[in-house]
């Protein structure tokens, strides 16, 4: 079974530029998560999708961050414009549908973003 | 609001020791608890998932226990090896609603050869 795929692995941009990350979840996983992990901290949920609908985006800075999951499969996360404090690892995860008895989450390798 | 705490923040042990990592959470109404391993610069690898109705799960040298009523979980690693060096994270999901995972800040483990 293929895992969660993310790209790119690394990205360096200047502040005020825009950047986009891509995620392909495990086949059949209806739930997709984007997490932000700042160095030395645990991951923080940014947005959660069930199929192509948003379930929770309460911690997404909506003035600069946006995400979509067209057709309920792949997802993109965008930052525009980027700030220095956005430097972090962005992790994508997927799991079986909400309410399923087994909602074990599987994570991708992450995208390390450095804003200079 | 659910808060997850992991103690200790860092741990250094000689090879071969048995060790315990602790995770506590403030809201006992959880759906499940998952332990992860994270190597430097890498994503998270799932180690063990404990459903709220379970008390423990085992995989090889790893054993995780869950006491919902006291808001605690422990990850026991037997006969530690240098390859176990990593950051260990626990995460809990809510019992209803969005089931989102809330993470602790992790325990950085270093096993010395």
């Amino acid at each position: 079974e293929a895992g969660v795929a993310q790209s790119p692995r690394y990205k360096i941009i200047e502040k005020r530029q825009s950047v986009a990350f891509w995620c392909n979840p495990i086949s059949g996983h209806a739930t997709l998560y984007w997490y932000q992990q700042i160095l030395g901290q645990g991951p923080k949920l940014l947005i959660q999708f069930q199929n192509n609908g948003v379930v929770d985006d309460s911690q997404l800075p909506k003035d600069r961050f946006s995400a979509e999951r067209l057709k309920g499969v792949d997802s993109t996360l965008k930052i525009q414009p980027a700030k220095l404090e956005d430097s972090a690892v962005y992790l994508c995860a997927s799991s079986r549908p909400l309410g399923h008895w087994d909602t074990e989450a599987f994570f991708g390798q992450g995208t390390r973003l450095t804003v200079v | 609001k659910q808060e997850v705490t992991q103690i200790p923040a860092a741990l250094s042990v000689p090879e071969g020791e048995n060790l315990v990592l602790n995770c506590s959470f403030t809201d006992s109404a959880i759906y499940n608890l998952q332990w992860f391993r994270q190597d430097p610069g890498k994503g998270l690898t799932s180690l063990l998932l404990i459903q709220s109705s379970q008390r423990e799960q085992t995989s090889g040298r790893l054993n995780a226990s869950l006491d919902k009523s006291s808001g605690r979980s422990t990850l026991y690693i037997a006969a530690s090896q240098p390859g176990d060096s990593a950051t260990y994270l626990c995460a809990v999901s809510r019992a209803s609603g969005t089931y989102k995972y809330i993470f602790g800040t992790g325990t950085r483990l270093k096993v010395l050869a």
Side-chain angles (χ1 to χ4, degrees), chain A residues 3-82:
Chain A
V4 176
Q6 288 188 248
S7 67
R9 286 296 313 279
Y10 307 94
K11 192 74 177 178
I12 301 175
I13 62 172
E14 295 182 351
K15 59 184 179 184
R16 293 188 289 274
Q17 284 188 326
S18 63
V19 64
F21 312 128
W22 173 83
C23 173
N24 181 243
I26 292 172
S27 178
H29 280 189
T31 305
L32 185 146
Y33 314 78
W34 282 103
Y35 282 86
Q36 179 193 58
Q37 186 177 25
I38 293 173
L39 187 65
Q41 299 181 16
K44 181 186 81 171
L45 180 71
L46 292 175
I47 189 166
Q48 180 176 349
F49 292 93
Q50 170 90 325
N51 296 310
N52 59 346
V54 175
V55 175
D56 189 329
D57 63 356
S58 57
Q59 297 191 92
L60 185 74
K62 298 180 185 63
D63 58 333
R64 298 184 300 105
F65 286 65
S66 64
E68 60 181 10
R69 190 183 184 196
L70 299 176
K71 302 180 182 178
V73 182
D74 293 6
S75 177
T76 56
L77 175 70
K78 297 180 182 177
I79 307 175
Q80 181 179 15

Side-chain angles (χ1 to χ4, degrees), chain B residues 32-100:
Chain B
N32 61 32
L33 182 146
Q34 198 165 351
W35 281 94
F36 295 88
R37 168 184 173 139
Q38 186 172 34
D39 293 286
K42 300 289 180 65
L44 278 65
T45 300
S46 177
L47 297 174
L48 291 165
L49 171 74
I50 310 177
Q51 302 290 350
S52 61
S53 58
Q54 298 175 320
R55 295 299 299 267
E56 65 177 344
Q57 283 284 351
T58 298
S59 176
R61 295 182 294 107
L62 305 179
N63 175 275
S65 66
L66 174 64
D67 184 342
K68 265 182 48 177
S69 60
S70 67
R72 294 177 188 271
S73 176
T74 59
L75 178 67
Y76 176 83
I77 303 176
S80 58
Q81 304 170 357
D84 295 329
S85 299
T87 296
Y88 290 81
L89 293 152
C90 75
V92 297
S93 66
R94 295 169 50 177
S96 63
T98 63
Y99 299 94
K100 68 181 181 184

